[in-house]
Amino acid sequence: KSSSPDSFLGNEQYAPNHYDPDTAHPPAGDYDEDLHVQCPPHTTQRKLVAKIDLRVIPVLSILYLLAFLDRTNIANASIYGLQEELGLRGSQYNTALTIFFVPYIVFEIPSNILLKKLKPHVWLSVCMFAFGFVTICQGLVQNYSGLLATRFFLGVAETGMFPGSFYLIGMWYKRSEAQRRYTFFFSSTSLAGAFGGLLASAIGKMHRMRGYLGWRWIFILEGVLTCVVAFVFYFVIPDFPEEAKWLSEDERTYIQNRLRKDQGRSAAERSIGIRDVINVFKDYKIFVGGFMYFGLIVPAYSYAFFAPGIIQTYGYSRIQTQLHSVPPWAASFAFSMIIAYFSDKLKHRFAFTIAPICLAIVGFGILITVHDNHTLQYGALFLVTMGVYSAMPVIVCWFTMNLGGHHRRSVGTAWQIGFGNIGGIIATYSFLPDDKPDFYRTGYSICIGFICLSAASCIMYAVSVLWQNRMREKAPTDLGLTEFEKTEQGDMSPDYRYLL
């Protein structure tokens, strides 16, 4: 079977991945017309996908919401006296933010390998309890050294959350279904930002209760919440489709078949070795994908870590600052879901990365040039969050779902997230106390520069996948490859077609 030229423009389904060409066309039951896979007679494709949605997406979204909350609540804590009580001077606060990213970056790929080896419900729940416990300890530190130590171990504990969850979601859904699920999951960061602001404004009223300042209570209470939820999530976090005991045998077979037809065989039965990791990095698109995400991490973490401080410069009190931090996050969540809906509906990703990026550039442009209109400046924060936080999940979904098989997807996803988070280190030093009199022009300029890097990388990646699709269309289809060889190649198989 050959596909039309429109297939590599993203205008039709991705059927050319002919890993199982002999699947029969059963006469009865719900049938996937795109992929030619038969659904079990006792259910329908829509009901089964809804069942997966209810089991996979809410759990992982709550998990990442709490992870992002525990990671960024230091920004809210700073408003309630953290720096003053610990005696932080100069850029020490920025250094405390930075040290989180060192283990977070280094252990991304090993974490995804452990996720596959130990099963998701074990690894993710253990990591969740660990970063909740470290967050509690963060509320008990007495000096700068203690803060550095807890931030370092927080990075160790959280390293598997984001790439592991993205990897797991990618093993459950077809590429045409993935964007809305990825965006809802990723937008839990927006909900965490909004929830964190509301929670901090409430916890702030406990200031000096039992001799603890408000910032300590923020860490302690949010850490306790995470630990409690981690115990429950050990029993509810889903594993891979091959291991899902909450699905019947025929449902598991159907899910695996539809994913095989859409993405190629997964090679889930084979463990990941060092040779697999090396083979992944022989593909230049892996590096391009890293820069796509890297460019947006800088403005994303810049906003997450410094937004309360920026908003406070508009003349708000501590409580008002926390409350005013909520609406931009809420707007970014709503806009992200709109972008995701149309991206899935049109089966296209590239345009839905560039358009939000342009919106974010406009927002930062306003912040650089306008310094005497607080209403306009506050409105520009909406453009920043809506642009940055809606483009990021599209970029990660686009890259992740174009990787075929367990091995390439596990390593590739961890690489993109790990390398991209180097941008977090840059973000932590983008908004320094000395830049405050100059209205943080340096920080805003850095953000614009890295956003442009992300846009250029997206263009390069789009050209690459479009070119490779066209080359594969022109190449001979019968190369004598066995099914095993196609499985091992994943998206590098000549039968595979990328999504633009």
Side-chain angles (χ1 to χ4, degrees), residues 398-413:
W398 185 21
F399 178 75
T400 299
M401 299 305 285
N402 268 342
L403 295 170
H406 266 278
H407 305 138
R408 284 182 59 79
R409 185 165 296 173
S410 174
V411 176
T413 302

Side-chain angles (χ1 to χ4, degrees), residues 201-255:
S201 65
I203 295 176
K205 297 178 182 178
M206 298 175 64
H207 192 61
R208 297 194 182 281
M209 183 179 291
R210 295 188 177 275
Y212 285 168
L213 298 187
W215 69 268
R216 294 187 180 276
W217 286 115
I218 290 176
F219 288 136
I220 293 171
L221 294 182
E222 292 179 3
V224 168
L225 172 63
T226 299
C227 289
V228 171
V229 174
F231 277 112
V232 177
F233 273 21
Y234 177 84
F235 301 99
V236 297
I237 292 176
D239 291 323
F240 296 113
E242 299 86 355
E243 305 159 336
K245 296 179 180 179
W246 46 275
L247 293 175
S248 64
E249 182 63 34
D250 55 353
E251 289 175 337
R252 284 197 298 271
T253 300
Y254 170 66
I255 293 299

Side-chain angles (χ1 to χ4, degrees), residues 61-335:
S61 296
I62 293 172
L63 183 153
Y64 192 59
L65 183 152
L66 292 174
F68 195 79
L69 184 66
D70 288 350
R71 182 185 316 171
T72 60
N73 57 10
I74 190 171
N76 302 107
S78 179
I79 299 296
Y80 285 109
L82 177 147
Q83 297 190 55
E84 292 77 8
E85 184 173 3
L86 296 184
L88 304 187
R89 298 181 302 276
S91 61
Q92 287 184 328
Y93 172 73
N94 302 81
T95 303
L97 298 180
T98 301
I99 199 169
F100 166 88
F101 290 99
V102 176
Y104 190 78
I105 293 165
V106 172
F107 297 120
E108 295 276 5
I109 292 178
S111 175
N112 262 14
I113 294 174
L114 284 172
L115 174 79
K116 188 172 183 296
K117 181 179 288 288
L118 298 178
K119 295 188 178 181
H121 80 276
V122 176
W123 179 243
L124 293 179
S125 59
V126 168
C127 289
M128 188 178 189
F129 179 83
F131 69 71
F133 179 76
V134 174
T135 300
I136 296 173
C137 295
Q138 199 171 202
L140 303 175
V141 299
Q142 300 299 318
N143 50 45
Y144 175 56
S145 299
L147 181 63
L148 287 180
T150 53
R151 293 297 295 180
F152 178 86
F153 285 108
L154 186 65
V156 173
E158 286 203 20
T159 189
M161 293 297 100
F162 189 67
S165 297
F166 253 80
Y167 169 38
L168 182 58
I169 293 172
M171 302 314 298
W172 277 99
Y173 295 100
K174 297 190 303 182
R175 288 180 288 177
S176 61
E177 301 167 338
Q179 188 59 66
R180 279 170 291 177
R181 279 81 180 181
Y182 271 125
T183 297
F184 187 88
F185 164 77
F186 186 89
S187 294
S188 60
T189 60
S190 300
L191 295 179
F195 181 60
L198 290 173
L199 200 58
S201 65
I203 295 176
K205 297 178 182 178
M206 298 175 64
H207 192 61
R208 297 194 182 281
M209 183 179 291
R210 295 188 177 275
Y212 285 168
L213 298 187
W215 69 268
R216 294 187 180 276
W217 286 115
I218 290 176
F219 288 136
I220 293 171
L221 294 182
E222 292 179 3
V224 168
L225 172 63
T226 299
C227 289
V228 171
V229 174
F231 277 112
V232 177
F233 273 21
Y234 177 84
F235 301 99
V236 297
I237 292 176
D239 291 323
F240 296 113
E242 299 86 355
E243 305 159 336
K245 296 179 180 179
W246 46 275
L247 293 175
S248 64
E249 182 63 34
D250 55 353
E251 289 175 337
R252 284 197 298 271
T253 300
Y254 170 66
I255 293 299
Q256 292 176 64
N257 285 340
R258 71 198 291 266
L259 293 178
R260 181 183 305 132
K261 297 291 285 186
D262 182 59
Q263 304 173 18
R265 295 184 187 273
S266 67
E269 69 283 352
R270 187 172 66 78
S271 61
I272 300 174
I274 187 65
R275 181 175 296 179
D276 297 306
V277 176
I278 294 173
N279 286 337
V280 169
F281 287 100
K282 291 179 179 178
D283 178 12
Y284 72 92
K285 296 192 301 300
I286 296 296
F287 297 97
V288 178
F291 280 103
M292 288 160 60
Y293 188 64
F294 170 73
L296 287 187
I297 277 291
V298 176
Y301 274 117
S302 293
Y303 186 85
F305 285 136
F306 299 106
I310 293 171
I311 293 172
Q312 194 174 36
T313 65
Y314 301 159
Y316 299 117
S317 66
R318 288 179 175 179
I319 299 296
Q320 288 176 326
T321 295
Q322 304 291 1
L323 293 175
H324 276 82
S325 70
V326 175
W329 287 114
S332 74
F333 175 79
F335 188 71

Side-chain angles (χ1 to χ4, degrees), residues 22-28 31 33 36 38:
D22 299 323
T23 300
H25 194 314
Y31 192 73
E33 296 293 341
H36 310 297
Q38 180 71 23

Side-chain angles (χ1 to χ4, degrees), residues 329-351:
W329 287 114
S332 74
F333 175 79
F335 188 71
S336 294
M337 295 310 300
I338 293 172
I339 289 292
Y341 172 80
F342 285 104
S343 180
D344 266 355
K345 187 175 180 66
L346 298 176
K347 299 182 177 70
H348 183 84
R349 302 288 182 252
F350 173 60

Side-chain angles (χ1 to χ4, degrees), residues 475-493:
T477 56
D478 186 10
L479 299 178
L481 295 175
T482 65
E483 291 299 315
F484 174 78
E485 290 172 327
K486 291 179 180 179
T487 300
E488 290 296 298
Q489 288 181 350
D491 59 280
M492 301 305 288
S493 166

